[in-house]
Amino acid sequence: MNQQVDSAGGAQNRTSVERKGDRELVITRTFNAPPSTVYRAWSQPELFQRWWVPKSASGVSLVSCDMDVRTGGKYRLEFGAGGSDTMAFYGKYLEVVPNERIVWTNDEGEEGAVTTVTFEEQGGKTLLNFHEVYPSKEALEEAIQGGAAALPEQLEQLDELLSSIGE
């Protein structure tokens, strides 16, 4: 699965989705904002909830966003679709280095990935690397068919948010 998705910002800000081996997925994108601003959008719940839910997932909202973004901290995201039923995603932060990297577990199922997001400064911009390692080939396949398919759209929404919040 190799795919290039153009953003509204033109050819310079592409989202690249690449499968590496049987258990890894790597998504990269450059943002026109410094790492500190991009990191804030990933680590502050009030910003995170403004871009994480894909707009194409009509009717779905993030009804609860609890994030204690520090090494050893926990997170819990609850999504709803208008009814009383919600779906929760949760885990813990294994490593947090402000403005540089966040590593977390996805503990809602036995086949959860470990996710690492890095923020690399490149001349006032940020190269974001989103890297997931799954416990099995089957878990990666399931992710590619599910939530991981929405990441290019989510990163496009993040780009829009970053242009509105500035530094």
Side-chain angles (χ1 to χ4, degrees), residues 3 5 7 15 17 25 27 29 31 38 41-42 47-57 60 62 77 79 89 104 128 130 132 134 143 146-162:
Q3 156 185 4
V5 179
S7 72
T15 298
V17 179
L25 185 65
I27 299 170
R29 182 178 175 123
F31 292 96
V38 181
W42 281 85
L47 294 176
F48 184 83
Q49 60 193 4
R50 289 172 55 188
W51 66 270
W52 187 249
V53 178
K55 290 177 184 166
S56 64
V60 175
L62 186 52
L77 308 174
F79 297 87
F89 294 88
W104 68 87
L128 180 129
F130 182 98
E132 290 193 310
Y134 291 85
L151 275 162
E153 180 181 359
Q154 290 168 287
L155 295 179
E156 179 62 35
Q157 291 171 186
L158 173 57
D159 201 33
E160 292 169 14
L161 173 68
L162 292 170

mmCIF file of all heavy atoms in Angstrom, residues 3 5 7 15 17 25 27 29 31 38 41-42 47-57 60 62 77 79 89 104 128 130 132 134 143 146-162:
data_model
loop_
_atom_site.group_PDB
_atom_site.id
_atom_site.type_symbol
_atom_site.label_atom_id
_atom_site.label_comp_id
_atom_site.label_asym_id
_atom_site.label_seq_id
_atom_site.Cartn_x
_atom_site.Cartn_y
_atom_site.Cartn_z
ATOM 1 N N GLN A 3 0.687 5.207 -1.224
ATOM 2 C CA GLN A 3 -0.312 6.130 -1.703
ATOM 3 C C GLN A 3 0.163 7.539 -1.410
ATOM 4 O O GLN A 3 0.694 7.812 -0.362
ATOM 5 C CB GLN A 3 -1.611 5.782 -0.976
ATOM 6 C CG GLN A 3 -2.624 6.828 -0.840
ATOM 7 C CD GLN A 3 -3.797 6.351 0.009
ATOM 8 O OE1 GLN A 3 -3.818 5.266 0.545
ATOM 9 N NE2 GLN A 3 -4.773 7.180 0.128
ATOM 10 N N VAL A 5 -1.277 11.424 -1.257
ATOM 11 C CA VAL A 5 -2.516 12.173 -1.226
ATOM 12 C C VAL A 5 -2.158 13.648 -1.217
ATOM 13 O O VAL A 5 -1.448 14.113 -0.329
ATOM 14 C CB VAL A 5 -3.338 11.823 0.038
ATOM 15 C CG1 VAL A 5 -4.610 12.626 0.081
ATOM 16 C CG2 VAL A 5 -3.630 10.335 0.079
ATOM 17 N N SER A 7 -2.633 17.487 -0.533
ATOM 18 C CA SER A 7 -3.409 18.306 0.396
ATOM 19 C C SER A 7 -3.803 19.594 -0.315
ATOM 20 O O SER A 7 -3.350 19.884 -1.404
ATOM 21 C CB SER A 7 -2.552 18.642 1.617
ATOM 22 O OG SER A 7 -1.561 19.591 1.247
ATOM 23 N N THR A 15 0.625 13.691 1.989
ATOM 24 C CA THR A 15 0.571 12.643 2.991
ATOM 25 C C THR A 15 1.001 11.366 2.296
ATOM 26 O O THR A 15 0.426 10.977 1.290
ATOM 27 C CB THR A 15 -0.859 12.488 3.565
ATOM 28 O OG1 THR A 15 -1.224 13.710 4.204
ATOM 29 C CG2 THR A 15 -0.913 11.352 4.574
ATOM 30 N N VAL A 17 1.532 7.326 2.654
ATOM 31 C CA VAL A 17 1.153 6.149 3.429
ATOM 32 C C VAL A 17 1.930 4.974 2.873
ATOM 33 O O VAL A 17 1.844 4.681 1.681
ATOM 34 C CB VAL A 17 -0.370 5.876 3.320
ATOM 35 C CG1 VAL A 17 -0.743 4.634 4.117
ATOM 36 C CG2 VAL A 17 -1.170 7.080 3.778
ATOM 37 N N LEU A 25 3.110 0.241 9.599
ATOM 38 C CA LEU A 25 2.505 1.251 8.751
ATOM 39 C C LEU A 25 3.178 2.577 9.085
ATOM 40 O O LEU A 25 3.311 2.929 10.263
ATOM 41 C CB LEU A 25 1.001 1.340 9.025
ATOM 42 C CG LEU A 25 0.194 2.263 8.134
ATOM 43 C CD1 LEU A 25 0.208 1.747 6.686
ATOM 44 C CD2 LEU A 25 -1.245 2.346 8.642
ATOM 45 N N ILE A 27 3.211 6.715 8.069
ATOM 46 C CA ILE A 27 2.535 7.817 7.385
ATOM 47 C C ILE A 27 3.346 9.067 7.678
ATOM 48 O O ILE A 27 3.687 9.341 8.832
ATOM 49 C CB ILE A 27 1.081 7.959 7.884
ATOM 50 C CG1 ILE A 27 0.328 6.659 7.582
ATOM 51 C CG2 ILE A 27 0.401 9.156 7.242
ATOM 52 C CD1 ILE A 27 -1.028 6.557 8.208
ATOM 53 N N ARG A 29 4.007 13.392 6.688
ATOM 54 C CA ARG A 29 3.467 14.612 6.105
ATOM 55 C C ARG A 29 4.240 15.798 6.667
ATOM 56 O O ARG A 29 4.634 15.799 7.826
ATOM 57 C CB ARG A 29 1.990 14.766 6.440
ATOM 58 C CG ARG A 29 1.401 16.017 5.784
ATOM 59 C CD ARG A 29 -0.060 16.151 6.073
ATOM 60 N NE ARG A 29 -0.546 17.407 5.538
ATOM 61 C CZ ARG A 29 -1.528 17.512 4.687
ATOM 62 N NH1 ARG A 29 -2.144 16.438 4.253
ATOM 63 N NH2 ARG A 29 -1.927 18.685 4.262
ATOM 64 N N PHE A 31 4.118 19.809 7.620
ATOM 65 C CA PHE A 31 3.171 20.864 7.974
ATOM 66 C C PHE A 31 3.894 22.209 7.990
ATOM 67 O O PHE A 31 5.052 22.289 8.390
ATOM 68 C CB PHE A 31 2.573 20.601 9.365
ATOM 69 C CG PHE A 31 1.687 19.394 9.400
ATOM 70 C CD1 PHE A 31 2.185 18.175 9.820
ATOM 71 C CD2 PHE A 31 0.364 19.467 9.004
ATOM 72 C CE1 PHE A 31 1.382 17.048 9.854
ATOM 73 C CE2 PHE A 31 -0.454 18.350 9.024
ATOM 74 C CZ PHE A 31 0.054 17.136 9.449
ATOM 75 N N VAL A 38 2.670 21.907 16.161
ATOM 76 C CA VAL A 38 2.113 20.613 15.755
ATOM 77 C C VAL A 38 1.989 19.711 16.986
ATOM 78 O O VAL A 38 0.963 19.045 17.178
ATOM 79 C CB VAL A 38 2.973 19.951 14.657
ATOM 80 C CG1 VAL A 38 2.368 18.620 14.233
ATOM 81 C CG2 VAL A 38 3.100 20.880 13.442
ATOM 82 N N ALA A 41 -1.081 20.449 19.013
ATOM 83 C CA ALA A 41 -2.317 19.908 18.421
ATOM 84 C C ALA A 41 -2.488 18.419 18.712
ATOM 85 O O ALA A 41 -3.603 17.905 18.696
ATOM 86 C CB ALA A 41 -2.330 20.160 16.915
ATOM 87 N N TRP A 42 -1.394 17.717 18.993
ATOM 88 C CA TRP A 42 -1.439 16.286 19.336
ATOM 89 C C TRP A 42 -1.542 16.060 20.842
ATOM 90 O O TRP A 42 -1.913 14.969 21.275
ATOM 91 C CB TRP A 42 -0.183 15.570 18.834
ATOM 92 C CG TRP A 42 -0.218 15.254 17.386
ATOM 93 C CD1 TRP A 42 0.139 16.085 16.362
ATOM 94 C CD2 TRP A 42 -0.620 14.027 16.775
ATOM 95 N NE1 TRP A 42 -0.023 15.437 15.159
ATOM 96 C CE2 TRP A 42 -0.485 14.171 15.382
ATOM 97 C CE3 TRP A 42 -1.079 12.812 17.281
ATOM 98 C CZ2 TRP A 42 -0.792 13.159 14.492
ATOM 99 C CZ3 TRP A 42 -1.379 11.793 16.388
ATOM 100 C CH2 TRP A 42 -1.235 11.975 15.009
ATOM 101 N N LEU A 47 -7.419 21.019 21.414
ATOM 102 C CA LEU A 47 -7.016 21.119 20.006
ATOM 103 C C LEU A 47 -7.191 19.774 19.300
ATOM 104 O O LEU A 47 -7.701 19.717 18.176
ATOM 105 C CB LEU A 47 -5.564 21.586 19.888
ATOM 106 C CG LEU A 47 -5.275 23.003 20.368
ATOM 107 C CD1 LEU A 47 -3.781 23.300 20.279
ATOM 108 C CD2 LEU A 47 -6.085 24.020 19.586
ATOM 109 N N PHE A 48 -6.771 18.702 19.942
ATOM 110 C CA PHE A 48 -6.841 17.359 19.355
ATOM 111 C C PHE A 48 -8.259 17.025 18.882
ATOM 112 O O PHE A 48 -8.460 16.532 17.776
ATOM 113 C CB PHE A 48 -6.359 16.340 20.394
ATOM 114 C CG PHE A 48 -6.279 14.932 19.886
ATOM 115 C CD1 PHE A 48 -5.169 14.501 19.187
ATOM 116 C CD2 PHE A 48 -7.314 14.033 20.105
ATOM 117 C CE1 PHE A 48 -5.078 13.187 18.729
ATOM 118 C CE2 PHE A 48 -7.238 12.728 19.655
ATOM 119 C CZ PHE A 48 -6.118 12.306 18.952
ATOM 120 N N GLN A 49 -9.242 17.326 19.704
ATOM 121 C CA GLN A 49 -10.615 16.956 19.339
ATOM 122 C C GLN A 49 -11.158 17.793 18.191
ATOM 123 O O GLN A 49 -12.162 17.432 17.588
ATOM 124 C CB GLN A 49 -11.537 17.007 20.547
ATOM 125 C CG GLN A 49 -11.638 18.349 21.215
ATOM 126 C CD GLN A 49 -12.318 18.245 22.576
ATOM 127 O OE1 GLN A 49 -12.651 17.156 23.039
ATOM 128 N NE2 GLN A 49 -12.529 19.367 23.219
ATOM 129 N N ARG A 50 -10.489 18.854 17.817
ATOM 130 C CA ARG A 50 -10.941 19.680 16.691
ATOM 131 C C ARG A 50 -10.546 19.091 15.337
ATOM 132 O O ARG A 50 -11.056 19.512 14.305
ATOM 133 C CB ARG A 50 -10.401 21.103 16.827
ATOM 134 C CG ARG A 50 -11.082 21.850 17.964
ATOM 135 C CD ARG A 50 -10.461 23.195 18.265
ATOM 136 N NE ARG A 50 -10.384 24.077 17.108
ATOM 137 C CZ ARG A 50 -9.729 25.238 17.123
ATOM 138 N NH1 ARG A 50 -9.112 25.644 18.215
ATOM 139 N NH2 ARG A 50 -9.689 25.986 16.042
ATOM 140 N N TRP A 51 -9.610 18.126 15.313
ATOM 141 C CA TRP A 51 -9.161 17.599 14.019
ATOM 142 C C TRP A 51 -9.164 16.076 13.934
ATOM 143 O O TRP A 51 -9.076 15.525 12.832
ATOM 144 C CB TRP A 51 -7.773 18.137 13.670
ATOM 145 C CG TRP A 51 -6.667 17.663 14.572
ATOM 146 C CD1 TRP A 51 -6.242 18.261 15.723
ATOM 147 C CD2 TRP A 51 -5.854 16.496 14.411
ATOM 148 N NE1 TRP A 51 -5.213 17.529 16.287
ATOM 149 C CE2 TRP A 51 -4.960 16.439 15.503
ATOM 150 C CE3 TRP A 51 -5.798 15.493 13.441
ATOM 151 C CZ2 TRP A 51 -4.016 15.430 15.642
ATOM 152 C CZ3 TRP A 51 -4.860 14.483 13.595
ATOM 153 C CH2 TRP A 51 -3.981 14.465 14.682
ATOM 154 N N TRP A 52 -9.266 15.345 15.016
ATOM 155 C CA TRP A 52 -9.057 13.903 14.984
ATOM 156 C C TRP A 52 -10.163 13.123 14.285
ATOM 157 O O TRP A 52 -9.907 12.134 13.612
ATOM 158 C CB TRP A 52 -8.833 13.375 16.399
ATOM 159 C CG TRP A 52 -8.435 11.930 16.425
ATOM 160 C CD1 TRP A 52 -9.185 10.890 16.894
ATOM 161 C CD2 TRP A 52 -7.221 11.338 15.950
ATOM 162 N NE1 TRP A 52 -8.506 9.701 16.739
ATOM 163 C CE2 TRP A 52 -7.292 9.946 16.163
ATOM 164 C CE3 TRP A 52 -6.066 11.852 15.355
ATOM 165 C CZ2 TRP A 52 -6.263 9.075 15.817
ATOM 166 C CZ3 TRP A 52 -5.046 10.977 15.013
ATOM 167 C CH2 TRP A 52 -5.157 9.611 15.240
ATOM 168 N N VAL A 53 -11.417 13.528 14.410
ATOM 169 C CA VAL A 53 -12.522 12.787 13.791
ATOM 170 C C VAL A 53 -12.636 13.190 12.322
ATOM 171 O O VAL A 53 -12.823 14.366 12.021
ATOM 172 C CB VAL A 53 -13.862 13.062 14.512
ATOM 173 C CG1 VAL A 53 -14.999 12.321 13.824
ATOM 174 C CG2 VAL A 53 -13.779 12.665 15.969
ATOM 175 N N PRO A 54 -12.528 12.228 11.401
ATOM 176 C CA PRO A 54 -12.644 12.568 9.971
ATOM 177 C C PRO A 54 -14.032 13.141 9.660
ATOM 178 O O PRO A 54 -15.046 12.596 10.099
ATOM 179 C CB PRO A 54 -12.455 11.228 9.256
ATOM 180 C CG PRO A 54 -11.863 10.310 10.264
ATOM 181 C CD PRO A 54 -12.290 10.805 11.613
ATOM 182 N N LYS A 55 -14.049 14.244 8.913
ATOM 183 C CA LYS A 55 -15.334 14.846 8.534
ATOM 184 C C LYS A 55 -16.181 13.893 7.713
ATOM 185 O O LYS A 55 -17.401 13.958 7.736
ATOM 186 C CB LYS A 55 -15.094 16.153 7.772
ATOM 187 C CG LYS A 55 -14.547 17.249 8.650
ATOM 188 C CD LYS A 55 -14.248 18.499 7.853
ATOM 189 C CE LYS A 55 -13.611 19.548 8.760
ATOM 190 N NZ LYS A 55 -13.017 20.637 8.011
ATOM 191 N N SER A 56 -15.533 12.972 6.992
ATOM 192 C CA SER A 56 -16.282 12.026 6.151
ATOM 193 C C SER A 56 -17.036 10.995 7.002
ATOM 194 O O SER A 56 -17.929 10.322 6.496
ATOM 195 C CB SER A 56 -15.345 11.305 5.188
ATOM 196 O OG SER A 56 -14.425 10.504 5.914
ATOM 197 N N ALA A 57 -16.702 10.894 8.280
ATOM 198 C CA ALA A 57 -17.401 9.968 9.179
ATOM 199 C C ALA A 57 -18.636 10.695 9.716
ATOM 200 O O ALA A 57 -18.720 11.033 10.894
ATOM 201 C CB ALA A 57 -16.487 9.526 10.315
ATOM 202 N N VAL A 60 -20.448 10.907 13.347
ATOM 203 C CA VAL A 60 -19.548 10.453 14.407
ATOM 204 C C VAL A 60 -18.915 11.676 15.067
ATOM 205 O O VAL A 60 -18.487 12.604 14.397
ATOM 206 C CB VAL A 60 -18.445 9.523 13.855
ATOM 207 C CG1 VAL A 60 -17.437 9.163 14.938
ATOM 208 C CG2 VAL A 60 -19.064 8.275 13.259
ATOM 209 N N LEU A 62 -16.453 12.974 18.677
ATOM 210 C CA LEU A 62 -15.607 12.617 19.812
ATOM 211 C C LEU A 62 -16.320 13.172 21.043
ATOM 212 O O LEU A 62 -16.310 14.372 21.288
ATOM 213 C CB LEU A 62 -14.214 13.224 19.639
ATOM 214 C CG LEU A 62 -13.128 12.868 20.640
ATOM 215 C CD1 LEU A 62 -12.987 11.366 20.804
ATOM 216 C CD2 LEU A 62 -11.811 13.473 20.204
ATOM 217 N N LEU A 77 -10.355 7.969 24.525
ATOM 218 C CA LEU A 77 -11.171 8.694 23.557
ATOM 219 C C LEU A 77 -12.459 7.914 23.358
ATOM 220 O O LEU A 77 -12.421 6.721 23.076
ATOM 221 C CB LEU A 77 -10.437 8.810 22.215
ATOM 222 C CG LEU A 77 -9.014 9.372 22.250
ATOM 223 C CD1 LEU A 77 -8.384 9.288 20.875
ATOM 224 C CD2 LEU A 77 -9.004 10.792 22.762
ATOM 225 N N PHE A 79 -15.989 7.769 21.160
ATOM 226 C CA PHE A 79 -16.687 8.242 19.968
ATOM 227 C C PHE A 79 -18.141 7.816 20.034
ATOM 228 O O PHE A 79 -18.455 6.725 20.494
ATOM 229 C CB PHE A 79 -16.045 7.651 18.706
ATOM 230 C CG PHE A 79 -14.628 8.083 18.514
ATOM 231 C CD1 PHE A 79 -13.588 7.388 19.101
ATOM 232 C CD2 PHE A 79 -14.334 9.198 17.752
ATOM 233 C CE1 PHE A 79 -12.268 7.792 18.943
ATOM 234 C CE2 PHE A 79 -13.022 9.609 17.578
ATOM 235 C CZ PHE A 79 -11.992 8.906 18.173
ATOM 236 N N PHE A 89 -11.472 4.112 22.771
ATOM 237 C CA PHE A 89 -10.096 3.777 22.426
ATOM 238 C C PHE A 89 -9.246 4.312 23.569
ATOM 239 O O PHE A 89 -9.413 5.458 23.991
ATOM 240 C CB PHE A 89 -9.694 4.435 21.103
ATOM 241 C CG PHE A 89 -10.451 3.888 19.930
ATOM 242 C CD1 PHE A 89 -11.675 4.434 19.570
ATOM 243 C CD2 PHE A 89 -9.949 2.826 19.201
ATOM 244 C CE1 PHE A 89 -12.391 3.916 18.494
ATOM 245 C CE2 PHE A 89 -10.654 2.304 18.125
ATOM 246 C CZ PHE A 89 -11.882 2.855 17.781
ATOM 247 N N TRP A 104 2.601 5.749 22.193
ATOM 248 C CA TRP A 104 1.498 5.253 23.013
ATOM 249 C C TRP A 104 1.058 3.862 22.583
ATOM 250 O O TRP A 104 1.356 3.413 21.489
ATOM 251 C CB TRP A 104 0.312 6.207 22.997
ATOM 252 C CG TRP A 104 -0.411 6.339 21.692
ATOM 253 C CD1 TRP A 104 -1.446 5.558 21.235
ATOM 254 C CD2 TRP A 104 -0.205 7.313 20.669
ATOM 255 N NE1 TRP A 104 -1.879 5.991 20.008
ATOM 256 C CE2 TRP A 104 -1.133 7.070 19.639
ATOM 257 C CE3 TRP A 104 0.687 8.389 20.529
ATOM 258 C CZ2 TRP A 104 -1.204 7.850 18.487
ATOM 259 C CZ3 TRP A 104 0.619 9.158 19.380
ATOM 260 C CH2 TRP A 104 -0.315 8.881 18.384
ATOM 261 N N LEU A 128 6.195 15.309 10.096
ATOM 262 C CA LEU A 128 5.553 14.417 11.044
ATOM 263 C C LEU A 128 5.659 12.993 10.525
ATOM 264 O O LEU A 128 5.366 12.727 9.366
ATOM 265 C CB LEU A 128 4.074 14.793 11.208
ATOM 266 C CG LEU A 128 3.317 13.914 12.192
ATOM 267 C CD1 LEU A 128 2.582 14.778 13.208
ATOM 268 C CD2 LEU A 128 2.322 13.028 11.474
ATOM 269 N N PHE A 130 4.267 9.239 11.505
ATOM 270 C CA PHE A 130 3.302 8.463 12.287
ATOM 271 C C PHE A 130 3.608 7.009 11.972
ATOM 272 O O PHE A 130 3.462 6.576 10.833
ATOM 273 C CB PHE A 130 1.884 8.843 11.828
ATOM 274 C CG PHE A 130 0.779 8.154 12.573
ATOM 275 C CD1 PHE A 130 0.128 8.789 13.618
ATOM 276 C CD2 PHE A 130 0.348 6.889 12.205
ATOM 277 C CE1 PHE A 130 -0.922 8.171 14.286
ATOM 278 C CE2 PHE A 130 -0.687 6.259 12.866
ATOM 279 C CZ PHE A 130 -1.326 6.906 13.908
ATOM 280 N N GLU A 132 3.212 2.957 13.131
ATOM 281 C CA GLU A 132 2.520 1.971 13.954
ATOM 282 C C GLU A 132 3.114 0.592 13.719
ATOM 283 O O GLU A 132 3.347 0.194 12.583
ATOM 284 C CB GLU A 132 1.019 1.943 13.654
ATOM 285 C CG GLU A 132 0.324 3.193 14.152
ATOM 286 C CD GLU A 132 -1.178 3.079 14.163
ATOM 287 O OE1 GLU A 132 -1.767 2.685 13.143
ATOM 288 O OE2 GLU A 132 -1.768 3.411 15.207
ATOM 289 N N TYR A 134 2.204 -3.320 14.563
ATOM 290 C CA TYR A 134 1.109 -4.210 14.963
ATOM 291 C C TYR A 134 1.666 -5.556 15.417
ATOM 292 O O TYR A 134 2.727 -5.975 14.956
ATOM 293 C CB TYR A 134 0.140 -4.397 13.795
ATOM 294 C CG TYR A 134 -0.620 -3.135 13.495
ATOM 295 C CD1 TYR A 134 -0.073 -2.158 12.663
ATOM 296 C CD2 TYR A 134 -1.854 -2.899 14.060
ATOM 297 C CE1 TYR A 134 -0.750 -0.985 12.411
ATOM 298 C CE2 TYR A 134 -2.545 -1.725 13.809
ATOM 299 C CZ TYR A 134 -1.983 -0.773 12.989
ATOM 300 O OH TYR A 134 -2.656 0.393 12.746
ATOM 301 N N ALA A 143 -6.346 -2.953 10.339
ATOM 302 C CA ALA A 143 -6.182 -1.510 10.525
ATOM 303 C C ALA A 143 -6.233 -0.767 9.199
ATOM 304 O O ALA A 143 -6.833 0.306 9.103
ATOM 305 C CB ALA A 143 -4.870 -1.223 11.249
ATOM 306 N N GLY A 146 -9.628 -0.377 8.215
ATOM 307 C CA GLY A 146 -10.424 0.395 9.163
ATOM 308 C C GLY A 146 -9.921 1.805 9.351
ATOM 309 O O GLY A 146 -9.767 2.576 8.412
ATOM 310 N N GLY A 147 -9.621 2.129 10.608
ATOM 311 C CA GLY A 147 -9.290 3.487 11.004
ATOM 312 C C GLY A 147 -8.072 4.082 10.341
ATOM 313 O O GLY A 147 -8.019 5.290 10.100
ATOM 314 N N ALA A 148 -7.069 3.279 10.027
ATOM 315 C CA ALA A 148 -5.852 3.822 9.421
ATOM 316 C C ALA A 148 -6.136 4.443 8.061
ATOM 317 O O ALA A 148 -5.428 5.354 7.634
ATOM 318 C CB ALA A 148 -4.784 2.734 9.306
ATOM 319 N N ALA A 149 -7.168 3.985 7.384
ATOM 320 C CA ALA A 149 -7.518 4.535 6.075
ATOM 321 C C ALA A 149 -7.932 6.001 6.168
ATOM 322 O O ALA A 149 -7.843 6.740 5.191
ATOM 323 C CB ALA A 149 -8.637 3.708 5.438
ATOM 324 N N ALA A 150 -8.357 6.438 7.343
ATOM 325 C CA ALA A 150 -8.808 7.818 7.525
ATOM 326 C C ALA A 150 -7.666 8.780 7.836
ATOM 327 O O ALA A 150 -7.870 9.994 7.811
ATOM 328 C CB ALA A 150 -9.843 7.874 8.647
ATOM 329 N N LEU A 151 -6.473 8.276 8.122
ATOM 330 C CA LEU A 151 -5.388 9.157 8.548
ATOM 331 C C LEU A 151 -5.038 10.269 7.551
ATOM 332 O O LEU A 151 -4.819 11.401 7.983
ATOM 333 C CB LEU A 151 -4.150 8.349 8.928
ATOM 334 C CG LEU A 151 -4.211 7.865 10.383
ATOM 335 C CD1 LEU A 151 -3.232 6.734 10.622
ATOM 336 C CD2 LEU A 151 -3.956 9.002 11.349
ATOM 337 N N PRO A 152 -4.986 10.023 6.248
ATOM 338 C CA PRO A 152 -4.716 11.162 5.357
ATOM 339 C C PRO A 152 -5.740 12.290 5.518
ATOM 340 O O PRO A 152 -5.366 13.470 5.548
ATOM 341 C CB PRO A 152 -4.765 10.535 3.957
ATOM 342 C CG PRO A 152 -4.332 9.116 4.195
ATOM 343 C CD PRO A 152 -4.966 8.757 5.525
ATOM 344 N N GLU A 153 -7.007 11.943 5.666
ATOM 345 C CA GLU A 153 -8.037 12.963 5.869
ATOM 346 C C GLU A 153 -7.837 13.669 7.211
ATOM 347 O O GLU A 153 -7.947 14.896 7.310
ATOM 348 C CB GLU A 153 -9.431 12.334 5.809
ATOM 349 C CG GLU A 153 -10.538 13.353 6.013
ATOM 350 C CD GLU A 153 -11.929 12.751 5.994
ATOM 351 O OE1 GLU A 153 -12.070 11.521 5.801
ATOM 352 O OE2 GLU A 153 -12.883 13.517 6.178
ATOM 353 N N GLN A 154 -7.524 12.910 8.243
ATOM 354 C CA GLN A 154 -7.296 13.513 9.558
ATOM 355 C C GLN A 154 -6.116 14.481 9.517
ATOM 356 O O GLN A 154 -6.178 15.571 10.097
ATOM 357 C CB GLN A 154 -7.041 12.420 10.597
ATOM 358 C CG GLN A 154 -8.278 11.602 10.918
ATOM 359 C CD GLN A 154 -7.924 10.368 11.716
ATOM 360 O OE1 GLN A 154 -7.362 9.425 11.182
ATOM 361 N NE2 GLN A 154 -8.240 10.373 12.998
ATOM 362 N N LEU A 155 -5.044 14.107 8.830
ATOM 363 C CA LEU A 155 -3.876 14.985 8.755
ATOM 364 C C LEU A 155 -4.168 16.227 7.925
ATOM 365 O O LEU A 155 -3.619 17.298 8.191
ATOM 366 C CB LEU A 155 -2.664 14.221 8.229
ATOM 367 C CG LEU A 155 -2.173 13.098 9.163
ATOM 368 C CD1 LEU A 155 -0.980 12.381 8.545
ATOM 369 C CD2 LEU A 155 -1.853 13.612 10.556
ATOM 370 N N GLU A 156 -5.038 16.111 6.940
ATOM 371 C CA GLU A 156 -5.479 17.285 6.190
ATOM 372 C C GLU A 156 -6.240 18.238 7.123
ATOM 373 O O GLU A 156 -6.051 19.450 7.090
ATOM 374 C CB GLU A 156 -6.365 16.867 5.010
ATOM 375 C CG GLU A 156 -6.888 18.024 4.185
ATOM 376 C CD GLU A 156 -5.798 18.845 3.517
ATOM 377 O OE1 GLU A 156 -4.773 18.279 3.111
ATOM 378 O OE2 GLU A 156 -5.987 20.075 3.405
ATOM 379 N N GLN A 157 -7.090 17.668 7.972
ATOM 380 C CA GLN A 157 -7.825 18.482 8.943
ATOM 381 C C GLN A 157 -6.873 19.123 9.946
ATOM 382 O O GLN A 157 -7.072 20.271 10.358
ATOM 383 C CB GLN A 157 -8.882 17.628 9.660
ATOM 384 C CG GLN A 157 -9.999 17.219 8.738
ATOM 385 C CD GLN A 157 -10.957 16.187 9.328
ATOM 386 O OE1 GLN A 157 -11.826 15.722 8.624
ATOM 387 N NE2 GLN A 157 -10.826 15.820 10.589
ATOM 388 N N LEU A 158 -5.824 18.403 10.337
ATOM 389 C CA LEU A 158 -4.812 18.972 11.223
ATOM 390 C C LEU A 158 -4.137 20.154 10.544
ATOM 391 O O LEU A 158 -3.922 21.197 11.163
ATOM 392 C CB LEU A 158 -3.780 17.904 11.605
ATOM 393 C CG LEU A 158 -2.562 18.394 12.393
ATOM 394 C CD1 LEU A 158 -2.956 19.096 13.684
ATOM 395 C CD2 LEU A 158 -1.621 17.228 12.669
ATOM 396 N N ASP A 159 -3.823 20.022 9.260
ATOM 397 C CA ASP A 159 -3.204 21.108 8.507
ATOM 398 C C ASP A 159 -4.090 22.355 8.547
ATOM 399 O O ASP A 159 -3.615 23.469 8.762
ATOM 400 C CB ASP A 159 -2.970 20.647 7.061
ATOM 401 C CG ASP A 159 -1.903 21.461 6.349
ATOM 402 O OD1 ASP A 159 -0.952 21.915 6.999
ATOM 403 O OD2 ASP A 159 -2.039 21.638 5.128
ATOM 404 N N GLU A 160 -5.400 22.166 8.345
ATOM 405 C CA GLU A 160 -6.345 23.283 8.391
ATOM 406 C C GLU A 160 -6.347 23.934 9.772
ATOM 407 O O GLU A 160 -6.365 25.159 9.898
ATOM 408 C CB GLU A 160 -7.754 22.806 8.029
ATOM 409 C CG GLU A 160 -7.895 22.382 6.587
ATOM 410 C CD GLU A 160 -9.212 21.662 6.308
ATOM 411 O OE1 GLU A 160 -10.132 21.716 7.167
ATOM 412 O OE2 GLU A 160 -9.327 21.047 5.233
ATOM 413 N N LEU A 161 -6.347 23.114 10.824
ATOM 414 C CA LEU A 161 -6.336 23.649 12.191
ATOM 415 C C LEU A 161 -5.067 24.430 12.446
ATOM 416 O O LEU A 161 -5.107 25.546 12.999
ATOM 417 C CB LEU A 161 -6.464 22.513 13.208
ATOM 418 C CG LEU A 161 -6.303 22.953 14.670
ATOM 419 C CD1 LEU A 161 -7.474 23.817 15.110
ATOM 420 C CD2 LEU A 161 -6.134 21.747 15.575
ATOM 421 N N LEU A 162 -3.915 23.902 12.046
ATOM 422 C CA LEU A 162 -2.648 24.570 12.288
ATOM 423 C C LEU A 162 -2.604 25.934 11.634
ATOM 424 O O LEU A 162 -2.067 26.887 12.202
ATOM 425 C CB LEU A 162 -1.480 23.702 11.793
ATOM 426 C CG LEU A 162 -1.246 22.408 12.578
ATOM 427 C CD1 LEU A 162 -0.233 21.533 11.859
ATOM 428 C CD2 LEU A 162 -0.803 22.700 14.004
#
